[in-house]
């Protein structure tokens, strides 16, 4: 099995379709699903050689041909030197964090982040003597002010969930490097079709491939993308021995989904822009957030680091929780779900679901109000999504 020799010269859309492909002796056109946990050896000498590091697979916790194709294809898309797939986005985040700090180190992270990431940074790493400071990710001065002598890691998500705040990746990676720290970027919301953080100085990129990479809400997956020294010195040994390996089946689903990622993301962006525009004209909607709209406070920055605004629109309805619940309850097409990045449009009320565990003060600090709704705009005809919102608003 061998990869294609011209791969390095391919443009991103070609890499998304053909990158990393390994063909078996059958010369299959579609990537093979190697649903196997182990591998047989020609003889004991070959087994011995493999365990000494010779090319080839030994056990699926260590590596698998289907998983490797998924890793190489996503690495090619991100412009990353190395990639390792994991069972979920949280397994990827946890591995990247655990491999980046040790007891006594300090982390600076953007406050607006996925709740489970905050739990790992504050609660899990906190128990092992790692301290952290949370800052307003959109304020470069706040990042600079929070860095200490023992800061070894900066962590952010951009655009952030659910406020769609943007972090200036170029400025924050500069701050990290001048402090001798690494920058980890959670790129789940944009996907590599719209944003490649390595181009702006990120050291590590993590993904929940459960979201836009899958794109059809079928299975969980994650990825850590990094430079070779981090892989060899930290990540590879950690993953092999702690075992957050992705199922080859899930890796195959996500690998095949990468072939249509670019097309889907463009449609998600077009549809989200259309729905955001519709919402901005509704009397009962107080505000609409979408990264590429001119009324987003960081629209100019978003346009320098993203090639599209993404598929998520966040808006606030007059009347708080009551009005938000009435709107959600009346929807007929859009599903109520805390997931996102699906072909189906999904709506969630962050204050009572994804951000329920935070105190009202912490939610206020993040700009999450009781009237806020997060809409993951799908691939339906956007006129039908708007019509559903219109009928629900009329009734709300
Ligand atoms: C969903 C999500 C995660 C966690 O991913 P799972 O695949 O659900 O484990 C992490 N970060 C962001 C930004 C996410 O949206």
């Amino acid at each position: 099995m061998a990869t294609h020799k011209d791969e390095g010269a391919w443009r991103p859309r070609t890499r998304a379709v053909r990158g990393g492909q390994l063909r078996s002796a059958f010369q299959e056109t579609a990537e093979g699903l190697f649903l196997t946990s182990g591998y047989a050896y020609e003889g004991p000498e070959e087994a011995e050689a493999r365990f000494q590091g010779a090319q080839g697979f030994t056990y699926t916790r260590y590596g698998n041909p289907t998983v490797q194709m998924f890793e190489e294809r996503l690495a090619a898309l991100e412009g990353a030197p190395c990639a390792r797939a994991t069972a979920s986005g949280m397994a990827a985040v946890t591995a990247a964090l655990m491999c980046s700090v040790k007891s006594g180190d300090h982390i600076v992270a953007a406050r607006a982040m996925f709740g489970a990431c905050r739990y790992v940074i504050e609660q899990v790493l906190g128990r092992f003597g790692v301290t952290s400071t949370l800052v307003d990710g959109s304020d470069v001065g706040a990042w600079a002010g929070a860095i200490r002598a023992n800061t070894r890691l900066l962590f952010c998500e951009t655009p952030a969930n659910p406020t769609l705040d943007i972090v200036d990746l170029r400025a924050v990676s500069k701050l990290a490097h001048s402090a001798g720290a690494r920058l980890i970027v959670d790129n789940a919301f944009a996907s590599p079709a719209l944003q490649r953080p390595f181009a702006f100085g990120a050291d590590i990129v993590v993904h929940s491939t459960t979201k836009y990479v899958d794109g059809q809400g079928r299975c969980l997956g994650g990825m850590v993308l990094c430079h070779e020294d981090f892989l060899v010195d930290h990540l590879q040994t950690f993953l092999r021995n702690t075992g957050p390996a992705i199922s080859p089946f899930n890796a195959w689903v996500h690998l095949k989904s990468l072939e249509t990622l670019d097309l889907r993301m463009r449609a998600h962006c077009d549809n989200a822009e259309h729905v955001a525009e519709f919402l901005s004209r509704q009397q009962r909607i107080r505000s609409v957030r979408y990264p590429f709209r001119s009324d987003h406070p960081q629209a100019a920055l978003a346009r320098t680091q993203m090639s599209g605004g993404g598929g998520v629109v966040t808006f606030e309805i007059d009347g708080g929780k009551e009005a938000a619940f009435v709107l959600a309850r009346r929807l007929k097409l859009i599903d109520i779900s805390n997931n996102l990045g699906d072909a189906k449009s999904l709506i969630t009320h962050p204050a009572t679901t994804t951000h329920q565990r935070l105190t009202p003060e912490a939610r206020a600090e993040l700009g999450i109000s009781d009237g806020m709704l997060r809409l993951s705009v799908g691939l339906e005809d956007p006129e039908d999504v708007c019509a559903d919102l219109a009928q629900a608003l009329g009734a709300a």
Side-chain angles (χ1 to χ4, degrees):
M1 301 218 292
T3 46
H4 203 288
K5 59 183 186 306
D6 295 331
E7 228 177 285
W10 288 343
R11 291 165 182 82
R13 283 157 71 183
T14 306
R15 290 178 187 171
V17 177
R18 292 184 174 270
Q21 183 165 13
L22 297 165
R23 280 197 169 130
S24 78
F26 295 115
Q27 293 280 20
E28 61 281 357
T29 48
E31 293 72 4
L33 167 51
F34 292 91
L35 201 54
T36 181
S37 42
Y39 307 85
Y41 308 101
E42 289 294 339
E45 295 79 10
E46 190 182 15
E48 183 181 30
R50 291 271 174 92
F51 274 77
Q52 282 168 348
Q55 190 89 18
F57 297 99
T58 55
Y59 188 52
T60 285
R61 174 151 50 78
Y62 277 53
N64 171 283
T66 305
V67 175
Q68 185 182 313
M69 286 190 264
F70 177 39
E71 292 166 342
E72 295 202 348
R73 190 167 292 176
L74 192 53
L77 271 180
E78 278 281 1
C82 306
R84 284 295 178 272
T86 54
S88 69
M90 281 320 302
V93 171
T94 303
L97 289 169
M98 298 281 278
C99 289
S100 298
V101 289
K102 59 179 189 333
S103 176
D105 288 348
H106 175 248
I107 300 174
V108 183
R111 191 175 290 124
M113 71 175 125
F114 196 70
C117 300
R118 188 165 174 168
Y119 164 79
V120 175
I121 289 176
E122 294 192 319
Q123 308 295 315
V124 179
L125 295 177
R127 281 197 274 118
F128 295 93
V130 175
T131 53
S132 57
T133 306
L134 300 186
V135 298
D136 172 357
S138 61
D139 180 353
V140 176
W143 285 97
I147 291 174
R148 303 178 191 162
N150 61 338
T151 302
R152 287 292 159 268
L153 185 67
L154 273 56
F155 180 92
C156 70
E157 190 184 309
T158 182
N161 176 30
T163 54
L164 306 178
D165 286 339
I166 308 293
V167 176
D168 185 337
L169 293 177
R170 201 168 273 151
V172 173
S173 67
K174 261 198 205 119
L175 287 174
H177 299 156
S178 57
R182 289 193 185 93
L183 171 65
I184 300 184
V185 178
D186 183 335
N187 200 23
F189 263 55
S191 90
L194 303 181
Q195 175 172 272
R196 300 188 176 98
F198 281 97
F200 304 103
D203 301 283
I204 298 166
V205 169
V206 287
H207 272 291
S208 167
T209 60
T210 314
K211 310 294 167 54
Y212 286 104
V213 170
D214 182 303
Q216 291 149 85
R218 296 164 296 186
C219 45
L220 302 184
M223 191 76 77
V224 184
L225 300 119
C226 61
H227 293 281
E228 195 173 354
D229 58 346
F230 184 77
L231 178 76
V232 173
D233 297 344
H234 303 283
L235 185 68
Q236 181 152 288
T237 316
F238 179 87
L239 292 177
R240 286 177 170 182
N241 292 297
T242 59
I246 189 171
S247 155
F249 180 81
N250 290 6
W252 181 82
V253 171
H254 289 182
L255 167 71
K256 296 301 284 176
S257 272
L258 286 176
E259 296 176 359
T260 56
L261 179 67
D262 189 76
L263 287 170
R264 288 185 285 107
M265 289 315 290
R266 287 186 215 201
H268 277 295
C269 292
D270 288 349
N271 289 0
E273 255 172 69
H274 189 100
V275 172
E277 181 56 31
F278 165 83
L279 285 167
S280 73
R281 292 193 308 264
Q282 307 307 307
Q283 269 193 351
R284 313 222 12 248
I285 303 301
R286 191 177 289 178
S287 63
V288 177
R289 269 289 182 104
Y290 184 71
F292 270 33
R293 276 179 67 83
S294 54
D295 54 6
H296 188 295
Q298 298 164 287
L301 173 62
R303 284 173 185 275
T304 66
Q305 54 191 39
M306 298 169 74
S307 60
V312 177
V313 177
T314 299
F315 61 97
E316 197 179 347
I317 188 169
D318 278 330
K321 176 183 168 183
E322 174 89 21
F325 270 37
V326 171
L327 173 70
R329 209 183 291 132
R330 301 269 169 121
L331 291 168
K332 293 174 178 161
L333 177 75
I334 301 167
D335 291 309
I336 301 171
S337 171
N338 50 284
N339 196 13
L340 66 102
D342 196 306
K344 295 181 170 62
S345 291
L346 307 175
I347 200 163
T348 192
H349 183 247
T352 54
T353 59
T354 53
H355 294 71
Q356 184 195 152
R357 270 182 303 176
L358 298 179
T359 62
E361 295 74 34
R363 277 197 293 276
E365 204 175 26
L366 286 172
I368 300 171
S369 68
D370 287 347
M372 181 181 272
L373 288 155
R374 186 195 73 194
L375 177 59
S376 170
V377 181
L379 299 178
E380 304 97 339
D381 189 315
E383 289 301 341
D384 287 329
V385 177
C386 293
D388 194 29
L389 288 163
Q391 65 81 19
L393 277 167

